Amino acid sequence: MPRRLQAVFIGCFLAIIYGVPASQAALEMCRGRWPQAIDFFTTIPTTGNLRAFEKEMERSSVYSQQVRPWMQYFIYLVLRNPGEKAILGRDGWLFYKPDVQYLVEQSPKGSEDPVPAILAFREELARRGIRLMVIPMPGKPSVYPEKLTRRTGFRSPTRDLIVRLREAGVETPDLFEIFETKPPGASYYLSRDTHWSGDAARIAAEAVARRIRNLGWVDPGSTEYDAKPVWVKRRGDIMRMMQAPQLEQRFPPERVRCEQVIRRETGEFYQDDPHSQVLVLGDSFLRIYEKDEPGAAGFIAHLARELRCPLTTIVNDGGASTLVRQELSRRPGLLTGKKLVIWEFVERDIRFGMEGWKYVPLPTN
């Protein structure tokens, strides 16, 4: 290659490498602020600070906000690649990559075992006379592997966790078993979302309530609730993870059937009660349809309807492995009068949960 041509290539390469941050800094200065990159030299370089710095740089970058969505759209059109966080399945279904990784990859040696944290939490509650029920939530590829690939024979490692917990005396309903019996044509998970459908949330709540009644762990309630059918349009969270509005427009919102739970006596939508005898901890599987549209139509509301009593809840998106227990530790008054704690977490958090599976002591009485 002639030296002049080499110099041109090198010049273009250096222009790309240095031109992007230089132009970003110049743009920020034109807007009346110091370049974001200076923050790197003004904070202590801890892991948390570096991650926060990286996220802020990505959020404020004009190239990230303006150019990347179009590049992601182009890559999808040409290569059918939906991005680093998503996997394109069959029939237009999208899957969250950590859900698939959890299902098909072996756990690395030394990965954190959730069982010690679960057993320690059970003992903490038992000292207060409170029982624990644990609900590992199936991820979408565990329930619909046929929408991911033509291959068969997938078995979620969570099934082994359920066996271990039961052997240790932990009450653990098996939603995998319940969802295996889905009738033909039933939609238990959304095609472009990580979460379940409104019908699946109701079916799971009914199954859990039956088990609680059979165990006799809580007193029968006296609050009567009715259910009101309603349809909502939901644009999947996996679509939002792609961060490409142009790509989102190619996929219409999914129409989802839900049932809103209404208190018969007042006609009001279901509401939590901090004085309930049941506390529910969980993640976004409990938030969907409950706290967002349409409201009062998720797992929590339907469980309350079946138990005929309102519930106390702590919900943290992506934080059910440890963060919900940390919040409970900061708010121990929520345990007053409780007879049962139900702890739900999506199965991918067994390996990828925020803050892992830390031991979280509860304050002494």
Side-chain angles (χ1 to χ4, degrees):
M1 180 182 296
R3 289 189 175 182
R4 181 175 297 179
L5 188 57
Q6 286 182 347
V8 170
F9 277 117
I10 293 173
C12 292
F13 178 75
L14 293 176
I16 294 173
I17 294 297
Y18 294 103
V20 171
S23 59
Q24 176 70 25
L27 180 61
E28 291 172 349
M29 294 178 68
C30 289
R31 293 175 175 174
R33 55 158 294 178
W34 287 104
Q36 179 72 27
I38 294 178
D39 292 348
F40 179 80
F41 302 97
T42 59
T43 57
I44 300 174
T46 63
T47 301
N49 287 341
L50 291 175
R51 287 177 178 172
F53 172 78
E54 182 181 15
K55 290 181 179 180
E56 180 59 24
M57 286 287 289
E58 182 178 0
R59 186 196 64 80
S60 61
S61 170
V62 64
Y63 294 96
S64 175
Q65 299 300 320
Q66 301 297 326
V67 178
R68 184 174 62 180
W70 285 103
M71 286 299 299
Q72 182 61 61
Y73 182 54
F74 175 76
I75 291 172
Y76 178 81
L77 292 179
V78 175
L79 303 176
R80 306 297 287 177
N81 183 345
E84 63 179 9
K85 294 183 178 180
I87 293 177
L88 181 63
R90 304 175 65 196
D91 302 324
W93 279 52
L94 291 171
F95 291 85
Y96 184 40
K97 188 170 290 185
D99 279 337
V100 178
Q101 290 173 327
Y102 171 77
L103 183 61
V104 302
E105 296 178 2
Q106 293 291 329
S107 297
K109 289 185 177 181
S111 58
E112 200 166 4
D113 183 2
V115 173
I118 293 173
L119 297 183
F121 187 50
R122 181 186 63 175
E123 296 307 313
E124 292 270 356
L125 295 173
R127 285 194 286 270
R128 293 164 171 78
I130 303 172
R131 299 181 184 274
L132 175 66
M133 174 179 284
V134 174
I135 306 177
M137 184 64 61
K140 185 164 73 172
S142 291
V143 180
Y144 285 98
E146 71 276 10
K147 293 295 185 179
L148 177 63
T149 176
R150 288 185 175 89
R151 292 176 56 193
T152 59
F154 286 116
R155 184 181 186 279
S156 172
T158 307
R159 307 297 291 268
D160 297 326
L161 174 65
I162 292 173
V163 171
R164 291 177 62 198
L165 291 175
R166 288 179 171 178
E167 290 176 347
V170 179
E171 181 61 36
T172 312
D174 189 346
L175 294 187
F176 295 84
E177 187 176 273
I178 293 170
F179 290 164
E180 281 177 350
T181 60
K182 58 184 181 294
S187 181
Y188 279 9
Y189 280 67
L190 306 182
S191 62
R192 291 180 289 276
D193 199 293
T194 58
H195 299 99
W196 53 8
S197 67
D199 287 338
R202 174 182 53 79
I203 290 169
E206 291 170 352
V208 171
R210 280 196 302 271
R211 183 57 182 162
I212 294 172
R213 287 195 299 267
N214 291 339
L215 291 168
W217 279 0
V218 297
D219 300 329
S222 59
T223 305
E224 297 293 340
Y225 293 98
D226 294 318
K228 171 188 173 184
V230 61
W231 290 83
V232 297
K233 291 183 178 180
R234 182 173 178 84
R235 192 174 292 278
D237 59 353
I238 302 178
M239 297 297 305
R240 295 195 299 272
M241 294 177 196
M242 295 180 185
Q243 298 181 338
Q246 302 83 356
L247 190 54
E248 287 188 34
Q249 294 173 6
R250 292 181 61 89
F251 296 94
E254 193 165 356
R255 195 163 178 258
V256 185
R257 181 186 181 278
C258 303
E259 291 185 8
Q260 286 181 296
V261 176
I262 301 171
R263 187 162 182 164
R264 183 176 301 172
E265 181 183 9
T266 63
E268 298 175 343
F269 291 124
Y270 166 80
Q271 292 183 350
D272 286 350
D273 180 2
H275 305 294
S276 171
Q277 58 184 332
V278 180
L279 170 62
V280 183
L281 312 177
D283 53 29
S284 58
F285 272 81
L286 305 190
R287 182 259 305 155
I288 188 172
Y289 314 123
E290 190 74 30
K291 303 300 181 183
D292 53 10
E293 191 179 9
F299 175 90
I300 294 169
H302 284 287
L303 181 60
R305 181 191 178 200
E306 292 296 320
L307 296 178
R308 300 176 64 195
C309 67
L311 313 175
T312 307
T313 62
I314 297 178
V315 175
N316 186 302
D317 285 14
S321 61
T322 291
L323 296 184
V324 291
R325 289 181 292 127
Q326 290 177 336
E327 183 173 349
L328 177 60
S329 180
R330 292 189 293 268
R331 303 168 60 192
L334 290 178
L335 291 173
T336 301
K338 296 297 181 289
K339 294 186 176 182
L340 171 63
V341 170
I342 301 172
W343 183 12
E344 173 274 332
F345 49 83
V346 67
E347 62 174 334
R348 66 172 174 270
D349 282 359
I350 295 170
R351 190 184 306 169
F352 305 124
M354 284 192 290
E355 302 295 326
W357 292 89
K358 295 179 179 178
Y359 168 63
V360 180
L362 297 175
T364 56
N365 293 333

